[in-house]
Amino acid sequence: MALVRMDKLVCTAAGCSRADAKRLLSSGAVTVDGKTIKQGSVKADPDSQTVCIGGKPVKYSEHIYIIMNKPLGVVSSTDDHDGQTVLDILPEQLLRKGLFPAGRLDKYTCGMMIITDDGDFAHRILAPKKHLPKIYQFELDAPILNEQLRQKFLQGVYLGGGEYSSPAYLDIISPTEGRVTIFEGIYHQVRRMFDQNGGHVIALKRIKIGGLPLPDDLAEGMSRQLTDDELKQLFETEKEVL
Ligand code: URA
């Protein structure tokens, strides 16, 4: 890995703001190969050097992977023409240059979002060829859910505008409520799947991406970094469809 400035390294490794990283450095809590470093502008190589904060070795990752439980009314695009964005509600210590959502949700869809600064990682989540399932919980305004519709979804669904989804799985909870698993992220996909079949989505929440469910303890509006185990879990279902 290339050399990294200590203020960037400390703030990423400790999950703190730049200002807190500066304070940690000037307090003498940070060492590189045993030598105290107080200046943020000094550079270190996290691959070949041991960086400790408060005596404990820390891990530095070039990119950041954030999970958010998006609330209703917040937009997932990164410009603010449409109101408050997911970046506006991230805590300061998670903010970086180049963050973007790996898969958008409509303003009035809530639930699981992944936000990152790693384009290759986002591609693994989004590319239809990767076939990563996304599961949504929904409620409809009309009691149209039945076995016939479940079978229809298994063939792929017409979305209007000449577009079709790939096969989708319907899990029916009641005639108006269920879960649907889709494998791509076409614009307004879930809403359009039901609009074409006589029902209108009145509540929509993404509850799982790949093998990773939205954690129960991540309250609406909250975000944190994904753990290494969660990153693995995310791609547990990944397969190439050729
Ligand atoms: N499908 C939709 O219709 N909206 C979303 O936000 C996500 C999937």
Side-chain angles (χ1 to χ4, degrees), residues 104-106 109 136 182 186-192 204 206:
R104 292 185 174 186
L105 290 178
D106 298 338
T109 302
Y136 293 83
I182 60 173
I186 300 169
Y187 184 63
H188 291 332
Q189 181 167 340
V190 174
R191 294 174 200 276
R192 289 164 69 191
L204 189 60
R206 184 155 61 197

Short mmCIF file of all heavy atoms in Angstrom, two decimals, residues 104-106 109 136 182 186-192 204 206, ligand 1:
data_model
loop_
_atom_site.label_atom_id
_atom_site.label_comp_id
_atom_site.label_asym_id
_atom_site.label_seq_id
_atom_site.Cartn_x
_atom_site.Cartn_y
_atom_site.Cartn_z
N ARG A 104 -29.26 2.55 -4.79
CA ARG A 104 -30.12 3.60 -4.22
C ARG A 104 -31.44 3.04 -3.69
O ARG A 104 -31.86 1.96 -4.08
CB ARG A 104 -30.42 4.62 -5.30
CG ARG A 104 -29.17 5.39 -5.67
CD ARG A 104 -29.50 6.48 -6.64
NE ARG A 104 -28.31 7.28 -6.87
CZ ARG A 104 -28.31 8.39 -7.58
NH1 ARG A 104 -29.42 8.83 -8.14
NH2 ARG A 104 -27.20 9.07 -7.74
N LEU A 105 -32.06 3.84 -2.84
CA LEU A 105 -33.44 3.57 -2.42
C LEU A 105 -34.23 4.83 -2.72
O LEU A 105 -33.70 5.95 -2.60
CB LEU A 105 -33.51 3.27 -0.92
CG LEU A 105 -32.91 1.94 -0.44
CD1 LEU A 105 -33.02 1.83 1.07
CD2 LEU A 105 -33.59 0.75 -1.10
N ASP A 106 -35.52 4.68 -3.06
CA ASP A 106 -36.37 5.84 -3.28
C ASP A 106 -36.47 6.66 -2.00
O ASP A 106 -36.27 6.13 -0.90
CB ASP A 106 -37.80 5.42 -3.64
CG ASP A 106 -37.85 4.61 -4.93
OD1 ASP A 106 -36.93 4.72 -5.74
OD2 ASP A 106 -38.84 3.87 -5.08
N THR A 109 -38.63 4.90 0.45
CA THR A 109 -38.28 3.52 0.81
C THR A 109 -37.28 3.64 1.96
O THR A 109 -36.42 4.51 1.93
CB THR A 109 -37.62 2.79 -0.37
OG1 THR A 109 -38.51 2.80 -1.48
CG2 THR A 109 -37.27 1.35 -0.01
N TYR A 136 -36.84 -7.16 -0.07
CA TYR A 136 -37.67 -6.03 0.36
C TYR A 136 -38.91 -6.54 1.05
O TYR A 136 -39.53 -7.50 0.58
CB TYR A 136 -38.11 -5.19 -0.84
CG TYR A 136 -36.98 -4.48 -1.53
CD1 TYR A 136 -36.19 -5.13 -2.47
CD2 TYR A 136 -36.68 -3.15 -1.24
CE1 TYR A 136 -35.13 -4.48 -3.11
CE2 TYR A 136 -35.63 -2.50 -1.87
CZ TYR A 136 -34.87 -3.17 -2.80
OH TYR A 136 -33.83 -2.52 -3.42
N ILE A 182 -35.28 -9.68 -5.29
CA ILE A 182 -34.95 -9.32 -6.68
C ILE A 182 -33.42 -9.35 -6.84
O ILE A 182 -32.69 -9.35 -5.85
CB ILE A 182 -35.52 -7.94 -7.09
CG1 ILE A 182 -34.96 -6.82 -6.19
CG2 ILE A 182 -37.04 -7.96 -7.06
CD1 ILE A 182 -35.37 -5.42 -6.65
N ILE A 186 -33.31 -2.07 -10.89
CA ILE A 186 -33.89 -1.22 -11.93
C ILE A 186 -34.71 -0.12 -11.25
O ILE A 186 -35.32 -0.35 -10.20
CB ILE A 186 -34.76 -2.06 -12.88
CG1 ILE A 186 -33.89 -3.16 -13.53
CG2 ILE A 186 -35.42 -1.20 -13.95
CD1 ILE A 186 -34.67 -4.22 -14.28
N TYR A 187 -34.72 1.06 -11.87
CA TYR A 187 -35.39 2.23 -11.29
C TYR A 187 -36.81 1.90 -10.84
O TYR A 187 -37.61 1.38 -11.61
CB TYR A 187 -35.39 3.33 -12.37
CG TYR A 187 -35.96 4.65 -11.94
CD1 TYR A 187 -35.35 5.39 -10.92
CD2 TYR A 187 -37.10 5.16 -12.55
CE1 TYR A 187 -35.87 6.60 -10.53
CE2 TYR A 187 -37.62 6.38 -12.17
CZ TYR A 187 -36.99 7.09 -11.15
OH TYR A 187 -37.51 8.30 -10.77
N HIS A 188 -37.13 2.17 -9.58
CA HIS A 188 -38.46 1.91 -8.98
C HIS A 188 -38.93 0.46 -9.19
O HIS A 188 -40.14 0.21 -9.35
CB HIS A 188 -39.52 2.83 -9.60
CG HIS A 188 -39.36 4.28 -9.22
ND1 HIS A 188 -38.78 4.70 -8.05
CD2 HIS A 188 -39.74 5.42 -9.86
CE1 HIS A 188 -38.79 6.02 -7.99
NE2 HIS A 188 -39.35 6.48 -9.08
N GLN A 189 -37.98 -0.46 -9.20
CA GLN A 189 -38.31 -1.82 -9.64
C GLN A 189 -39.48 -2.47 -8.89
O GLN A 189 -40.42 -2.97 -9.51
CB GLN A 189 -37.06 -2.71 -9.52
CG GLN A 189 -37.35 -4.14 -9.99
CD GLN A 189 -36.09 -4.94 -10.19
OE1 GLN A 189 -35.02 -4.37 -10.34
NE2 GLN A 189 -36.21 -6.24 -10.20
N VAL A 190 -39.41 -2.49 -7.55
CA VAL A 190 -40.44 -3.22 -6.80
C VAL A 190 -41.80 -2.56 -6.99
O VAL A 190 -42.81 -3.22 -7.25
CB VAL A 190 -40.06 -3.31 -5.31
CG1 VAL A 190 -41.19 -3.92 -4.50
CG2 VAL A 190 -38.77 -4.11 -5.13
N ARG A 191 -41.83 -1.22 -6.94
CA ARG A 191 -43.11 -0.52 -7.13
C ARG A 191 -43.70 -0.84 -8.50
O ARG A 191 -44.89 -1.10 -8.64
CB ARG A 191 -42.92 1.00 -6.98
CG ARG A 191 -42.52 1.40 -5.56
CD ARG A 191 -42.20 2.89 -5.44
NE ARG A 191 -41.39 3.14 -4.26
CZ ARG A 191 -41.87 3.30 -3.03
NH1 ARG A 191 -43.17 3.29 -2.82
NH2 ARG A 191 -41.06 3.50 -2.02
N ARG A 192 -42.83 -0.85 -9.53
CA ARG A 192 -43.32 -1.13 -10.90
C ARG A 192 -43.79 -2.58 -11.05
O ARG A 192 -44.74 -2.86 -11.78
CB ARG A 192 -42.20 -0.82 -11.90
CG ARG A 192 -41.95 0.68 -12.02
CD ARG A 192 -40.62 0.98 -12.69
NE ARG A 192 -40.61 0.62 -14.10
CZ ARG A 192 -39.49 0.59 -14.83
NH1 ARG A 192 -38.32 0.89 -14.28
NH2 ARG A 192 -39.55 0.26 -16.10
N LEU A 204 -42.38 0.26 1.84
CA LEU A 204 -41.30 -0.55 1.27
C LEU A 204 -40.03 -0.37 2.10
O LEU A 204 -39.63 0.76 2.39
CB LEU A 204 -41.06 -0.11 -0.18
CG LEU A 204 -40.12 -0.95 -1.05
CD1 LEU A 204 -40.63 -2.39 -1.17
CD2 LEU A 204 -39.99 -0.35 -2.45
N ARG A 206 -35.98 -2.17 2.52
CA ARG A 206 -34.99 -3.21 2.16
C ARG A 206 -34.46 -3.83 3.44
O ARG A 206 -33.98 -3.11 4.33
CB ARG A 206 -33.86 -2.61 1.32
CG ARG A 206 -32.90 -3.69 0.85
CD ARG A 206 -32.14 -3.31 -0.40
NE ARG A 206 -31.34 -2.13 -0.21
CZ ARG A 206 -30.85 -1.40 -1.21
NH1 ARG A 206 -31.11 -1.73 -2.46
NH2 ARG A 206 -30.10 -0.35 -0.97
N1 URA B 1 -37.69 -0.79 -5.72
C1 URA B 1 -38.40 0.35 -5.62
O1 URA B 1 -39.45 0.49 -6.23
N2 URA B 1 -37.92 1.33 -4.84
C2 URA B 1 -36.78 1.20 -4.12
O2 URA B 1 -36.40 2.12 -3.40
C3 URA B 1 -36.06 0.01 -4.23
C4 URA B 1 -36.54 -0.98 -5.03
#
